[in-house]
Amino acid sequence: MDEKRRQLLTGISLAGAGVLLNACRSTSNSSGSATNEEKTEQAPGEHEPVEVTATEDLMREHGILRRALLVYQESAMRLRQDAASVPPDILEKAATLFRVFGEDYHEKKLEEVYIFPTVKKSPGAPASYVDVLLAQHTRGREITEYVLAITKADRIPSNSIEPLARAMESFVRMYAHHAAIEDTVIFPAWKAAVGEAELDALAAKFEEIETEQFGGDGFDAALQRMEEIETSLGMSNLDMFTAPAPH
Ligand SMILES: [Fe+2]
Ligand SMILES: [Fe+2]
């Protein structure tokens, strides 16, 4: 296990978010930890860090959150067909990832501190979205809390299946719109308001917050976690989602 990953795991645990990366820990352990491997071996998917702009950073975080929402969407469908086909602990992992990476970091540490206040103060239509976006963050947290509570048990009670499926679907619908408005209206408005010079400084600041929150590259860790969740549900083959030809 390389030092960066080790620090990342430790950092996540210290941040009280150890659950997010438990699976990563076991994966990394099983791949061996010989120190002489460190110079030459690079785990699949690992790469040299590349520079990302502040808005690109926010948008790729949305990519992780969309993948968690696709797990909700698929799970809601499967729950109705055959509840036993959705292991509660996998849903719990998806909800934990959404909480740790989406709500506690992306929303609370970045959007609510840096993005929304600037956009709200700027003239123009984008400012009028901010209160709704904040209300949606709050509602999302309520739904995450609910999903976490229900999926704690070994089995989802039969009378909770439909309410859980509905809650996840409505969350997916809300957040798809939410993130689409942020990507196309809010982030561009923020970028215009802060200006090029400050953007670079803010990209570095976001990087710093990410390291502080996760003890390393939170995006890489979240991506790996997301892939594990998708694999557990048999959703890791992109081609299975290729649409049939129209008739
Ligand atoms: Fe948001
Ligand atoms: Fe967002």
Side-chain angles (χ1 to χ4, degrees):
M1 189 162 87
D2 66 53
E3 192 55 29
K4 192 176 161 212
R5 177 72 66 201
R6 194 192 316 277
Q7 286 166 354
L8 173 58
L9 294 168
T10 318
I12 290 262
S13 300
L14 287 175
V19 189
L20 176 67
L21 287 169
N22 282 343
C24 299
R25 181 180 283 117
S26 53
T27 306
S28 300
N29 284 347
S30 65
S31 69
S33 59
T35 48
N36 58 5
E37 282 179 4
E38 287 186 354
K39 276 187 212 133
T40 50
E41 300 261 323
Q42 203 171 38
E46 279 197 26
H47 49 76
E48 289 302 313
V50 279
E51 291 292 320
V52 290
T53 64
T55 45
E56 186 189 349
D57 206 16
L58 290 159
M59 287 169 80
R60 70 177 191 167
E61 287 165 10
H62 280 173
I64 296 284
L65 300 178
R66 276 192 194 97
R67 286 172 72 164
L69 294 171
L70 290 168
V71 162
Y72 280 2
Q73 194 174 305
E74 186 73 16
S75 299
M77 198 182 73
R78 291 188 194 180
L79 276 172
R80 290 197 179 100
Q81 284 168 355
D82 171 17
S85 69
V86 183
D89 64 313
I90 303 298
L91 265 185
E92 189 184 18
K93 283 174 187 166
T96 302
L97 184 133
F98 208 97
R99 159 81 18 117
V100 173
F101 190 75
E103 296 168 355
D104 292 346
Y105 166 64
H106 174 88
E107 295 177 0
K108 284 189 185 169
K109 294 281 165 77
L110 304 182
E111 290 180 343
E112 293 177 14
V113 176
Y114 292 93
I115 316 297
F116 293 173
T118 304
V119 173
K120 181 122 193 182
K121 275 187 284 178
S122 304
S128 64
Y129 281 109
V130 170
D131 288 345
V132 179
L133 294 169
L134 283 167
Q136 291 181 340
H137 283 182
T138 304
R139 180 54 44 78
R141 286 166 204 159
E142 280 172 42
I143 296 174
T144 301
E145 201 60 49
Y146 171 75
V147 175
L148 286 171
I150 293 215
T151 53
K152 258 196 191 83
D154 294 340
R155 211 183 124 261
I156 298 164
S158 56
N159 60 355
S160 295
I161 288 169
E162 183 51 35
L164 175 62
R166 263 206 313 270
M168 290 192 298
E169 282 171 343
S170 60
F171 191 18
V172 171
R173 182 168 181 258
M174 174 180 78
Y175 221 87
H177 287 268
H178 181 100
I181 292 296
E182 287 178 345
D183 287 342
T184 56
V185 179
I186 300 298
F187 297 162
W190 176 74
K191 196 173 171 178
V194 295
E196 285 298 327
E198 210 192 328
L199 261 187
D200 281 350
L202 283 162
K205 180 75 193 164
F206 287 5
E207 195 73 17
E208 207 181 292
I209 295 167
E210 186 178 333
T211 306
E212 191 182 300
Q213 186 89 346
F214 298 107
D217 193 322
F219 176 81
D220 279 358
L223 179 61
Q224 189 178 344
R225 183 61 157 170
M226 203 54 247
E227 286 169 354
E228 287 163 2
I229 292 167
E230 289 164 350
T231 302
S232 312
L233 285 172
M235 287 176 62
S236 59
N237 174 11
L238 179 62
D239 197 31
M240 68 191 273
F241 300 106
T242 304
H247 297 295

